[in-house]
Amino acid sequence: MKTLGYEEAIGRRLYTPAQIAKAIERLAAQIAKDHARQPLVLLGVLKGALCLCADLSRALAGEADGPSEIMVDYLCLQRYGRSAGGGSPRLLMDHSVPIAEASVVVVEDIADNGRSLEFLQRLLAERRPASLRTCVLFDKRARREVGVPLDYVGLAVPDSFVIGYGLDYKELYRNLPYLAELREN
Ligand code: IMP
Ligand code: MG
């Protein structure tokens, strides 16, 4: 079977940079409203949330009546693959900002089967934050296997493998400014 080249593997475009930016503005407005005049900790989930966390944190800075202060931190979850019974998520790098008694928003690129977020919500709840909410930019609803509460949801995506805006295929395509389907072959 022929392997597609880098450009050839970029399939149908799903969301333009402008559509993504608009969705992030919406998410920032909702998060700002829920955390007005309170300190907020944004916890980005690497590596997929690298673009989202950077843009969302800056969009929040533009909100007039938003959080009184914002700390941005990251943690890193291991990619566990999409094969059947692909195992459970593993923490590769923990955040360093303390979250006990803090208002926390977890920032994830996409909710797929939901296991990463389930894992994180359980792990972070043990650290006794004052509040723990979850923000995802993309929602692949059709593939959800576990019910996880999502407080802020950006854009719906179909049941296909997507790349760009932080999302990768074999570590490639994260830097595409738009979201596209991967053309598999
Ligand atoms: P979960 O299946 O909801 O646990 O998602 C786990 C992680 O897999 C997400 O945070 C993404 O980083 C990654 N992922 C899920 N779906 C896709 C996709 O379509 N493209 C690229 N990465 C994905
Ligand atoms: Mg991710």
Side-chain angles (χ1 to χ4, degrees):
M1 193 199 289
K2 174 176 168 285
T3 310
L4 293 177
Y6 182 85
E7 294 285 342
E8 289 171 302
I10 303 174
R12 183 166 63 109
R13 308 293 201 271
L14 297 177
Y15 291 110
T16 64
Q19 289 171 316
I20 292 173
K22 212 166 156 203
I24 291 172
E25 287 296 331
R26 253 189 342 260
L27 294 172
Q30 292 166 13
I31 293 171
K33 187 162 163 273
D34 291 347
H35 301 85
R37 298 174 296 279
Q38 297 168 37
L40 172 66
V41 179
L42 285 183
L43 276 191
V45 183
L46 292 175
K47 301 176 200 167
L50 87 128
C51 298
L52 173 61
C53 204
D55 287 343
L56 180 66
S57 60
R58 285 177 292 180
L60 274 164
E63 290 292 327
D65 195 23
S68 54
E69 56 184 46
I70 299 178
M71 289 185 183
V72 184
D73 201 357
Y74 286 92
L75 48 79
C76 184
L77 280 196
Q78 183 169 40
R79 197 52 196 279
Y80 52 92
R82 285 164 58 90
S83 51
S88 51
R90 202 161 66 91
L91 191 65
L92 278 191
M93 183 194 83
D94 214 336
H95 61 92
S96 57
V97 167
I99 61 167
E101 285 160 56
S103 298
V104 176
V105 173
V106 175
V107 181
E108 250 285 44
D109 50 0
I110 188 167
D112 185 14
N113 65 34
R115 289 190 196 282
S116 301
L117 285 171
E118 182 186 52
F119 170 83
L120 277 180
Q121 287 177 0
R122 190 173 304 149
L123 176 84
L124 298 174
E126 283 169 11
R127 299 174 178 174
R128 303 277 167 238
S131 66
L132 181 61
R133 296 187 175 98
T134 297
C135 172
V136 300
L137 181 56
F138 301 114
D139 185 10
K140 211 192 282 181
R141 233 2 227 295
R143 283 180 48 90
R144 202 82 86 255
E145 292 169 12
V146 292
V148 282
L150 302 178
D151 301 282
Y152 312 103
V153 180
L155 301 162
V157 296
D159 182 8
S160 49
F161 197 82
V162 293
I163 51 174
Y165 200 76
L167 291 146
D168 73 306
Y169 172 65
K170 296 187 176 172
E171 297 300 332
L172 296 171
Y173 307 107
R174 289 194 200 276
N175 62 314
L176 296 180
Y178 50 83
L179 189 81
E181 286 180 329
L182 178 73
R183 190 178 292 150
E184 288 176 277
N185 193 359

